[in-house]
Amino acid sequence: MLDTHAVYVSAASGWEIATKVRLGKWPGIGELLNNLPQQLIAQGFELLPITCTL
């Protein structure tokens, strides 16, 4: 069950950010990607993994 007060970040968010950096749309934040999960956790975000359930 999800905490209704938490802010969740999907693993797909990191992929989206990396894509924008690769395309040159967000110059200068490439260093952020080196430790994005740790930075998100430090800010209090809850990470959601990508999973497949049938």
Side-chain angles (χ1 to χ4, degrees):
M1 180 171 228
L2 298 178
D3 179 351
T4 58
H5 299 289
V7 177
Y8 295 95
V9 178
S10 168
S13 298
W15 178 76
E16 295 273 350
I17 293 168
T19 299
K20 291 191 183 297
V21 169
R22 188 182 76 246
L23 294 173
K25 294 186 177 188
W26 283 351
I29 69 160
E31 188 67 28
L32 172 71
L33 295 177
N34 290 336
N35 60 355
L36 183 61
Q38 295 84 359
Q39 291 187 41
L40 291 171
I41 291 168
Q43 295 295 316
F45 294 98
E46 295 286 333
L47 303 181
L48 294 173
I50 295 176
T51 59
C52 180
T53 57
L54 301 175

Coordinates of all heavy atoms in Angstrom, one line a residue:
M1 N 0.8 -1.2 0.0 CA 0.0 0.0 0.0 C 0.9 1.2 0.0 O 1.9 1.3 0.7 CB -0.9 0.0 1.2 CG -1.8 1.2 1.3 SD -3.0 1.0 2.6 CE -4.5 1.5 1.7
L2 N 0.5 2.2 -0.8 CA 1.3 3.5 -0.9 C 0.9 4.4 0.2 O -0.2 4.5 0.6 CB 1.0 4.1 -2.3 CG 1.4 3.3 -3.5 CD1 1.0 4.1 -4.8 CD2 2.9 3.0 -3.5
D3 N 2.0 5.1 0.7 CA 1.8 6.2 1.7 C 1.2 7.4 1.0 O 1.7 7.9 0.0 CB 3.1 6.5 2.3 CG 3.1 7.6 3.3 OD1 2.0 8.3 3.5 OD2 4.1 7.9 4.0
T4 N 0.0 7.9 1.5 CA -0.6 9.0 0.8 C 0.1 10.3 1.0 O -0.3 11.3 0.3 CB -2.1 9.1 1.3 OG1 -2.1 9.3 2.7 CG2 -2.9 7.9 0.9
H5 N 1.1 10.4 1.9 CA 1.8 11.6 2.1 C 3.2 11.7 1.4 O 3.8 12.7 1.4 CB 1.9 11.9 3.6 CG 0.6 12.0 4.3 ND1 -0.2 13.1 4.2 CD2 0.0 11.2 5.1 CE1 -1.3 12.9 4.9 NE2 -1.2 11.8 5.5
A6 N 3.6 10.6 0.9 CA 4.9 10.5 0.2 C 4.8 11.0 -1.2 O 3.7 11.1 -1.8 CB 5.3 9.0 0.2
V7 N 6.0 11.4 -1.7 CA 6.1 11.9 -3.1 C 6.9 10.8 -3.8 O 8.0 10.5 -3.4 CB 6.8 13.2 -3.2 CG1 7.0 13.6 -4.7 CG2 6.0 14.3 -2.5
Y8 N 6.3 10.1 -4.7 CA 6.9 9.0 -5.4 C 7.5 9.4 -6.7 O 6.9 10.3 -7.5 CB 5.8 7.9 -5.7 CG 5.3 7.3 -4.4 CD1 4.1 7.8 -3.8 CD2 6.0 6.3 -3.8 CE1 3.7 7.2 -2.6 CE2 5.5 5.7 -2.6 CZ 4.4 6.2 -2.0 OH 3.9 5.7 -0.9
V9 N 8.6 8.8 -7.1 CA 9.3 9.1 -8.3 C 9.5 7.7 -9.0 O 10.1 6.8 -8.5 CB 10.6 9.8 -8.1 CG1 11.4 10.0 -9.4 CG2 10.5 11.1 -7.4
S10 N 9.0 7.6 -10.2 CA 9.2 6.4 -11.0 C 10.6 6.3 -11.5 O 11.2 7.3 -11.8 CB 8.2 6.4 -12.2 OG 8.5 5.4 -13.1
A11 N 11.0 5.1 -11.7 CA 12.3 4.9 -12.3 C 12.4 5.4 -13.7 O 13.4 5.8 -14.2 CB 12.7 3.4 -12.3
A12 N 11.2 5.5 -14.3 CA 11.1 6.1 -15.7 C 11.5 7.6 -15.7 O 11.9 8.1 -16.7 CB 9.7 5.9 -16.3
S13 N 11.4 8.3 -14.6 CA 11.7 9.7 -14.5 C 13.2 9.9 -14.8 O 13.6 10.8 -15.5 CB 11.4 10.2 -13.1 OG 10.0 10.2 -12.9
G14 N 14.1 9.0 -14.2 CA 15.5 9.1 -14.5 C 15.8 8.8 -16.0 O 16.7 9.5 -16.5
W15 N 15.1 7.9 -16.6 CA 15.3 7.7 -18.0 C 14.9 8.9 -18.8 O 15.6 9.3 -19.8 CB 14.4 6.5 -18.4 CG 14.5 6.1 -19.9 CD1 15.5 5.5 -20.5 CD2 13.5 6.4 -20.8 NE1 15.2 5.4 -21.9 CE2 14.0 6.0 -22.1 CE3 12.2 7.0 -20.8 CZ2 13.2 6.1 -23.2 CZ3 11.5 7.2 -22.0 CH2 12.0 6.7 -23.2
E16 N 13.8 9.5 -18.5 CA 13.3 10.7 -19.2 C 14.4 11.9 -19.0 O 14.7 12.6 -20.0 CB 12.0 11.2 -18.6 CG 10.9 10.3 -18.8 CD 10.2 10.5 -20.1 OE1 10.4 11.5 -20.8 OE2 9.3 9.6 -20.5
I17 N 14.9 12.1 -17.8 CA 15.9 13.1 -17.6 C 17.2 12.8 -18.4 O 17.7 13.7 -19.1 CB 16.3 13.2 -16.1 CG1 15.1 13.7 -15.3 CG2 17.5 14.1 -15.9 CD1 15.2 13.6 -13.8
A18 N 17.6 11.5 -18.4 CA 18.8 11.2 -19.2 C 18.6 11.4 -20.7 O 19.5 11.8 -21.4 CB 19.1 9.7 -19.0
T19 N 17.4 11.1 -21.2 CA 17.1 11.4 -22.6 C 17.2 12.9 -22.9 O 17.8 13.2 -23.9 CB 15.7 10.8 -22.9 OG1 15.7 9.4 -22.7 CG2 15.3 11.1 -24.4
K20 N 16.6 13.7 -22.1 CA 16.7 15.2 -22.3 C 18.1 15.7 -22.3 O 18.5 16.5 -23.1 CB 15.8 15.9 -21.3 CG 14.3 15.7 -21.6 CD 13.5 16.6 -20.8 CE 12.0 16.3 -20.9 NZ 11.5 16.5 -22.3
V21 N 18.9 15.1 -21.4 CA 20.3 15.5 -21.3 C 21.1 15.1 -22.6 O 21.8 15.9 -23.2 CB 21.0 14.9 -20.0 CG1 22.5 15.1 -20.1 CG2 20.5 15.6 -18.8
R22 N 20.8 13.9 -23.0 CA 21.5 13.3 -24.2 C 21.1 14.1 -25.4 O 21.9 14.4 -26.3 CB 21.1 11.9 -24.4 CG 21.9 11.2 -25.5 CD 21.5 9.7 -25.8 NE 20.2 9.7 -26.5 CZ 19.0 9.3 -26.0 NH1 19.0 8.8 -24.8 NH2 17.9 9.3 -26.7
L23 N 19.9 14.6 -25.5 CA 19.4 15.4 -26.6 C 19.8 16.9 -26.5 O 19.6 17.7 -27.4 CB 17.9 15.4 -26.7 CG 17.3 14.0 -27.1 CD1 15.8 14.0 -27.0 CD2 17.8 13.6 -28.5
G24 N 20.5 17.3 -25.4 CA 21.0 18.6 -25.3 C 20.0 19.6 -24.7 O 20.2 20.8 -24.8
K25 N 18.8 19.1 -24.3 CA 17.8 20.0 -23.8 C 18.0 20.5 -22.4 O 17.4 21.5 -22.0 CB 16.4 19.3 -23.9 CG 16.0 19.0 -25.3 CD 14.6 18.5 -25.4 CE 14.3 18.3 -26.9 NZ 12.9 17.9 -27.0
W26 N 18.8 19.8 -21.6 CA 19.2 20.2 -20.2 C 20.7 20.2 -20.0 O 21.2 19.4 -19.3 CB 18.5 19.3 -19.2 CG 17.0 19.6 -19.0 CD1 16.3 20.6 -19.5 CD2 16.1 18.8 -18.3 NE1 15.0 20.5 -19.1 CE2 14.9 19.4 -18.4 CE3 16.3 17.6 -17.5 CZ2 13.8 18.8 -17.7 CZ3 15.2 17.1 -16.9 CH2 13.9 17.7 -17.0
P27 N 21.4 21.1 -20.7 CA 22.8 21.2 -20.5 C 23.2 21.5 -19.1 O 22.5 22.2 -18.4 CB 23.3 22.3 -21.5 CG 22.1 23.2 -21.6 CD 20.9 22.2 -21.5
G28 N 24.3 20.9 -18.6 CA 24.8 21.2 -17.3 C 24.3 20.4 -16.2 O 24.7 20.5 -15.0
I29 N 23.3 19.5 -16.4 CA 22.8 18.7 -15.3 C 23.2 17.2 -15.4 O 22.8 16.4 -14.7 CB 21.3 18.8 -15.1 CG1 20.5 18.1 -16.2 CG2 20.8 20.2 -14.9 CD1 19.1 17.8 -15.9
G30 N 24.1 16.9 -16.4 CA 24.6 15.6 -16.6 C 25.2 15.0 -15.3 O 25.0 13.8 -15.0
E31 N 25.8 15.8 -14.5 CA 26.4 15.4 -13.2 C 25.4 14.9 -12.3 O 25.6 14.0 -11.5 CB 27.2 16.5 -12.6 CG 28.0 16.1 -11.4 CD 29.2 15.1 -11.8 OE1 29.7 15.2 -12.9 OE2 29.5 14.3 -10.9
L32 N 24.2 15.4 -12.3 CA 23.1 15.0 -11.5 C 22.7 13.6 -11.7 O 22.4 12.9 -10.7 CB 21.8 15.9 -11.8 CG 20.5 15.5 -11.2 CD1 20.5 15.8 -9.7 CD2 19.4 16.2 -11.8
L33 N 22.9 13.1 -12.9 CA 22.5 11.7 -13.2 C 23.4 10.7 -12.6 O 23.0 9.5 -12.4 CB 22.4 11.5 -14.7 CG 21.4 12.3 -15.4 CD1 21.5 12.0 -16.9 CD2 20.0 11.9 -14.9
N34 N 24.6 11.1 -12.2 CA 25.6 10.2 -11.6 C 25.1 9.6 -10.3 O 25.5 8.5 -9.9 CB 27.0 10.8 -11.5 CG 27.6 11.1 -12.8 OD1 27.3 10.4 -13.8 ND2 28.5 12.0 -12.8
N35 N 24.4 10.4 -9.6 CA 23.9 9.9 -8.3 C 22.4 10.3 -8.0 O 22.0 10.7 -6.9 CB 24.8 10.3 -7.1 CG 24.9 11.8 -7.0 OD1 24.3 12.6 -7.9 ND2 25.6 12.3 -6.0
L36 N 21.6 10.2 -9.1 CA 20.2 10.7 -9.0 C 19.4 9.9 -7.9 O 18.8 10.6 -7.1 CB 19.5 10.5 -10.4 CG 18.1 11.0 -10.4 CD1 18.0 12.5 -10.1 CD2 17.5 10.7 -11.8
P37 N 19.5 8.6 -7.8 CA 18.7 7.9 -6.8 C 19.1 8.4 -5.4 O 18.2 8.6 -4.6 CB 19.1 6.4 -7.0 CG 19.5 6.3 -8.4 CD 20.2 7.6 -8.7
Q38 N 20.4 8.6 -5.1 CA 20.8 9.0 -3.8 C 20.3 10.4 -3.5 O 19.8 10.8 -2.4 CB 22.3 9.0 -3.6 CG 22.9 7.6 -3.7 CD 23.1 7.1 -5.1 OE1 22.9 7.8 -6.1 NE2 23.6 5.9 -5.2
Q39 N 20.3 11.3 -4.5 CA 19.8 12.7 -4.3 C 18.3 12.7 -4.1 O 17.8 13.5 -3.3 CB 20.2 13.5 -5.5 CG 21.6 13.8 -5.7 CD 22.0 14.8 -6.7 OE1 21.3 15.7 -6.9 NE2 23.0 14.5 -7.5
L40 N 17.6 11.9 -4.8 CA 16.1 11.8 -4.6 C 15.8 11.3 -3.2 O 14.9 11.9 -2.5 CB 15.5 10.9 -5.7 CG 15.5 11.4 -7.1 CD1 15.0 10.4 -8.1 CD2 14.7 12.7 -7.2
I41 N 16.5 10.3 -2.7 CA 16.2 9.7 -1.4 C 16.6 10.8 -0.4 O 15.8 11.0 0.6 CB 17.0 8.4 -1.2 CG1 16.4 7.3 -2.1 CG2 17.0 8.0 0.3 CD1 17.3 6.1 -2.2
A42 N 17.7 11.5 -0.5 CA 18.1 12.5 0.4 C 17.0 13.6 0.5 O 16.9 14.3 1.6 CB 19.4 13.1 0.0
Q43 N 16.3 13.9 -0.6 CA 15.3 14.9 -0.6 C 13.9 14.4 -0.1 O 12.9 15.1 0.0 CB 15.1 15.5 -2.0 CG 16.3 16.2 -2.5 CD 16.6 17.5 -1.6 OE1 15.7 18.2 -1.3 NE2 17.8 17.7 -1.3
G44 N 13.9 13.1 0.3 CA 12.6 12.5 0.8 C 11.7 11.9 -0.1 O 10.6 11.6 0.2
F45 N 12.1 11.7 -1.4 CA 11.3 11.1 -2.4 C 11.3 9.6 -2.2 O 12.3 9.0 -1.7 CB 11.7 11.4 -3.8 CG 11.6 12.8 -4.2 CD1 12.6 13.7 -4.1 CD2 10.3 13.3 -4.6 CE1 12.5 15.0 -4.4 CE2 10.2 14.7 -4.9 CZ 11.2 15.5 -4.9
E46 N 10.2 8.9 -2.5 CA 10.1 7.4 -2.5 C 10.3 7.0 -4.0 O 9.6 7.4 -4.9 CB 8.8 7.0 -2.0 CG 8.5 7.3 -0.6 CD 9.3 6.5 0.4 OE1 9.6 5.3 0.0 OE2 9.6 6.9 1.5
L47 N 11.2 6.0 -4.2 CA 11.5 5.5 -5.5 C 10.6 4.4 -5.8 O 10.5 3.4 -5.0 CB 13.0 5.1 -5.6 CG 14.0 6.2 -5.3 CD1 15.4 5.6 -5.5 CD2 13.8 7.4 -6.1
L48 N 10.1 4.4 -7.0 CA 9.2 3.3 -7.5 C 10.0 2.5 -8.6 O 10.3 3.1 -9.6 CB 7.9 3.8 -8.1 CG 6.9 4.5 -7.1 CD1 5.8 5.1 -7.9 CD2 6.5 3.4 -6.1
P49 N 10.2 1.3 -8.4 CA 10.9 0.5 -9.5 C 10.0 0.2 -10.6 O 8.8 0.2 -10.5 CB 11.4 -0.8 -8.8 CG 10.3 -0.9 -7.7 CD 10.0 0.4 -7.3
I50 N 10.5 -0.1 -11.8 CA 9.7 -0.6 -12.9 C 9.6 -2.1 -12.7 O 10.6 -2.8 -12.6 CB 10.4 -0.2 -14.2 CG1 10.4 1.3 -14.4 CG2 9.6 -0.9 -15.4 CD1 11.1 1.8 -15.6
T51 N 8.4 -2.6 -12.7 CA 8.2 -4.0 -12.5 C 7.1 -4.4 -13.5 O 6.4 -3.6 -14.1 CB 7.7 -4.4 -11.1 OG1 6.5 -3.7 -10.8 CG2 8.8 -4.0 -10.1
C52 N 7.1 -5.7 -13.7 CA 6.1 -6.3 -14.6 C 5.4 -7.4 -13.9 O 6.0 -8.4 -13.4 CB 6.7 -6.8 -15.9 SG 5.5 -7.6 -17.0
T53 N 4.1 -7.2 -13.7 CA 3.3 -8.3 -13.1 C 2.2 -8.7 -14.0 O 1.6 -7.9 -14.7 CB 2.7 -7.8 -11.7 OG1 1.9 -6.7 -11.9 CG2 3.8 -7.5 -10.7
L54 N 1.8 -9.9 -14.0 CA 0.8 -10.4 -14.9 C -0.3 -11.0 -14.0 O -0.2 -11.4 -13.0 CB 1.3 -11.5 -15.8 CG 2.4 -11.0 -16.7 CD1 3.0 -12.2 -17.5 CD2 2.0 -9.9 -17.6

